Amino acid sequence: MGFVKTAEEIARIRAVNSNPRFVNAEMFSVSFLTDPATVARILPPGFKPADRPVVTAMVGRWQSNCVADYEGGAVYFAGVKYGDFEADYCIAMYMSTDAAIIWGREMWGEPKKQGSMGLNRQATKMCGWIERHGVRLIEIKADLTTDLGPTMASGKNFNIKALPATDGDGLEDDAILTLVDFKNDLKVNWSGKNASVTLCGTVHDPLDEIEVKEVLGAAYFEGDMDSHPRSIARIPATEYLPYYYGRVDDWSLLNTEDTLKSL
């Protein structure tokens, strides 16, 4: 229970970290088509876009065995490829608690930032949103009309783990590409075709660069997720650097040192 963990405490922590579970989840998503050129431009080196430029915006809340309760959302490019692997690539992710942010960012390389979330349902109508620094970055709505019933489902996510150099000049080392396999026990499973998605942007979160060309539909799940992560490749630091800086806040625009100098 202190700054230096005992062997027993380390064993307990390792057991949880190697078998993370996210349970009693509520996940609402809307998928849409974007410009293929946008996908190709945003994907880092080594990735190949899917044949169809599908994007998914998601909002949800979870309980867990490793980061307590939390809520948040994310945006993904669906079905991109890296070598022989195929998975969804996470573009941006927002979470409500420091535990969820730190764990996912340091363990898997998820591009997590702090944000607030809302998820509301009235009969078949549902709305979800993510806000950060007073801007509603993601807003999704749908009429969920089709009950698909309980099912087992699977999914895969790409993320990239990287650290900035201590002296502030580039990255400390090559980036690590991670792949997480999810096995989902969906107890509630609805879909709907009448849906909408709005993405807004700021200098730190440029989600408005992803054009909404055609909305494909919506989904809502409740259930439990088992996750199985692994590292699968390294991306040279010099190649990944422009993409890393695009996934974190622009520190050069957070200068408050000179705020009063113009007065």
Side-chain angles (χ1 to χ4, degrees):
M1 297 293 291
F3 284 110
V4 181
K5 297 301 184 185
T6 65
E8 291 78 12
E9 289 171 327
I10 292 172
R12 185 189 70 233
I13 294 167
R14 291 177 66 178
V16 168
N17 284 345
S18 61
N19 186 34
R21 281 177 47 79
F22 306 94
V23 300
N24 297 320
E26 302 171 61
M27 296 177 291
F28 173 46
S29 65
V30 173
S31 296
F32 62 93
L33 295 177
T34 192
D35 189 334
T38 299
V39 179
R41 177 177 59 82
I42 293 176
L43 285 175
F47 285 91
K48 181 181 177 181
D51 294 336
R52 198 171 184 225
V54 176
V55 184
T56 298
M58 181 273 293
V59 176
R61 57 172 68 98
W62 300 262
Q63 295 177 316
S64 75
N65 71 340
C66 53
V67 295
D69 299 352
Y70 66 101
E71 35 185 56
V75 178
Y76 300 89
F77 287 151
V80 306
K81 298 180 177 63
Y82 190 97
D84 295 331
F85 299 98
E86 181 176 331
D88 296 343
Y89 176 77
C90 187
I91 307 162
M93 185 175 286
Y94 305 94
M95 293 289 145
S96 61
T97 70
D98 60 351
I101 293 169
I102 294 167
W103 194 96
R105 191 168 58 196
E106 296 188 3
M107 195 83 64
W108 295 350
E110 292 174 318
K112 288 184 170 180
K113 300 178 181 179
Q114 188 172 29
S116 59
M117 161 270 202
L119 185 62
N120 300 309
R121 184 173 186 178
Q122 294 181 349
T124 62
K125 310 290 186 181
M126 197 155 201
C127 175
W129 50 262
I130 297 290
E131 286 186 357
R132 186 169 190 255
H133 298 322
V135 176
R136 185 160 292 194
L137 298 170
I138 302 170
E139 185 170 50
I140 52 179
K141 299 178 181 179
D143 189 7
L144 301 166
T145 55
T146 304
D147 184 355
L148 301 175
T151 188
M152 299 296 295
S154 62
K156 298 176 184 288
N157 288 352
F158 285 128
N159 286 288
I160 300 176
K161 183 158 57 172
L163 286 174
T166 305
D167 62 6
D169 186 11
L171 297 179
E172 196 72 60
D173 200 349
D174 291 343
I176 299 172
L177 176 61
T178 69
L179 178 68
V180 184
D181 289 273
F182 290 99
K183 303 299 181 184
N184 306 324
D185 180 4
L186 305 181
K187 300 171 176 63
V188 174
N189 184 16
W190 285 76
S191 68
K193 290 293 185 182
N194 184 17
S196 67
V197 54
T198 302
L199 300 180
C200 296
T202 69
V203 293
H204 304 296
D205 300 287
L207 294 183
D208 54 342
E209 291 186 9
I210 304 169
E211 306 92 333
V212 179
K213 295 291 188 180
E214 178 187 349
V215 177
L216 301 175
Y220 175 69
F221 309 130
E222 294 180 9
D224 303 333
M225 301 184 298
D226 286 313
S227 53
H228 304 280
R230 51 188 163 139
S231 298
I232 61 172
R234 297 177 73 89
I235 302 174
T238 54
E239 294 182 12
Y240 184 61
L241 185 62
Y243 303 88
Y244 171 79
Y245 280 137
R247 288 159 71 95
V248 299
D249 286 351
D250 187 337
W251 312 120
S252 68
L253 300 178
L254 293 170
N255 178 10
T256 56
E257 178 184 9
D258 300 328
T259 302
L260 299 178
K261 289 184 178 179
S262 61
L263 296 179

